[in-house]
Amino acid sequence: MKLIEIPKEFHSDATGEPFDRCVSCGRDLRDPSVHYFIEKAVRNYSRHRTTDTIFEYAICFDCYMEVHKSLSEESRERIDAYFLRNVNMLARIRLLGETATPDMDRWLSRCLIKGVDRCETSEYQIMCECLGDRMLLTFAPYLVSAEAMDEIAGLLSNRTLDALNGFYDDFIGMPPELLPLLKDQPHLIL
Ligand SMILES: [Zn+2]
C-alpha cells in the first residue's frame, strides 16, 4: 500500500493547514498511528469557474465505526451492492497503478460512479483515507458527483437517516454551523 504526502486539496480550506483533530473525539490526527478519513463537499460555480466548500471534516476510524454501526443492515447492504454494481474496481486499480508518481487529477477528475467530469456537476464530494500526516492510496481518494450522491441518498432507510441525524446531534465538538449541513444528506463516509 502506497503512502504519500497529503495533497493540498485535502487540507482544511478553513485554515489552509492539514486537518489535525477528529471532528468527533478531538483526537490528534498527526499521531502517525491514527487512521482517519477526510471528507469535503464542494459546490461548483461553473460560470465563474470557482468552487465553494460546503463542509469539510476529518473523522478518526473509531468514530467512523460508531457512525457505521448506526446504519441499518438493510441500508448497508444496499450501499455495498450499489458500489459493486456501479464501480469497475479492476479498471480503477489498473488506472491508479499505472502512475509511479500519483497525480491527484487522475484520481479525482471524474465521478467514481457516473464518470462525469468534476467540472460538469453542480456539487461533488471527495474523500480520502490517512494515517498521521500521510495519505493512503487504496481505492480512495475518490470523487462522487451530486447525481450519484442523490442515488445513494435514495438507498438509505428512514431509520438510518434518523440514526445518522442523531449521531450528528451528538457529535462532541462539532462546530454548530456544520450541523445543518451534515444533516439530511448522504455522506461518503458511511
Ligand atoms: Zn474520533
Side-chain angles (χ1 to χ4, degrees):
M1 199 184 304
K2 270 192 203 161
L3 286 165
I4 62 163
E5 198 178 321
I6 299 173
K8 285 249 176 339
E9 179 153 18
F10 283 101
H11 288 186
S12 162
D13 292 315
T15 66
E17 302 287 326
F19 287 93
D20 59 358
R21 298 273 155 203
C22 168
V23 70
S24 182
C25 70
R27 180 177 298 181
D28 189 345
L29 302 176
R30 290 163 300 186
D31 178 335
S33 67
V34 176
H35 183 190
Y36 63 98
F37 302 96
I38 295 169
E39 180 179 10
K40 280 191 187 186
V42 178
R43 187 167 293 143
N44 261 330
Y45 297 98
S46 47
R47 222 186 284 165
H48 306 287
R49 293 198 176 170
T50 56
T51 60
D52 194 16
T53 302
I54 306 165
F55 65 77
E56 56 173 19
Y57 63 91
I59 186 167
C60 76
F61 189 78
D62 293 343
C63 292
Y64 154 78
M65 284 310 287
E66 290 299 312
V67 184
H68 193 73
K69 270 193 274 178
S70 68
L71 301 185
S72 71
E73 203 171 312
E74 199 189 2
S75 296
R76 260 182 269 169
E77 279 171 10
R78 277 199 228 127
I79 290 168
D80 289 348
Y82 177 80
F83 273 83
L84 275 175
R85 203 168 52 239
N86 289 289
V87 182
N88 185 337
M89 308 270 187
L90 276 178
R92 183 165 178 85
I93 290 164
R94 209 175 297 136
L95 170 79
L96 302 178
E98 279 170 10
T99 43
T101 34
D103 172 5
M104 274 308 111
D105 284 349
R106 272 184 103 139
W107 298 66
L108 300 172
S109 63
R110 292 181 174 278
C111 170
L112 176 73
I113 310 279
K114 301 284 179 195
V116 56
D117 190 287
R118 70 187 283 167
C119 302
E120 280 157 22
T121 174
S122 55
E123 275 178 35
Y124 57 84
Q125 292 194 18
I126 53 173
M127 75 85 76
C128 75
E129 207 177 331
C130 299
L131 202 57
D133 65 355
R134 304 264 120 185
M135 186 171 88
L136 294 163
L137 293 179
T138 53
F139 182 61
Y142 60 80
L143 178 145
V144 173
S145 61
E147 293 79 0
M149 292 307 294
D150 284 347
E151 289 182 359
I152 295 169
L155 302 173
L156 300 176
S157 66
N158 287 338
R159 190 159 79 81
T160 292
L161 277 175
D162 287 347
L164 281 177
N165 284 340
F167 181 83
Y168 294 123
D169 277 336
D170 294 341
F171 252 138
I172 301 161
M174 170 72 83
E177 65 274 16
L178 203 57
L179 272 175
L181 300 170
L182 288 172
K183 289 174 89 165
D184 292 318
Q185 62 167 321
H187 298 276
L188 286 182
I189 301 172
L190 283 170

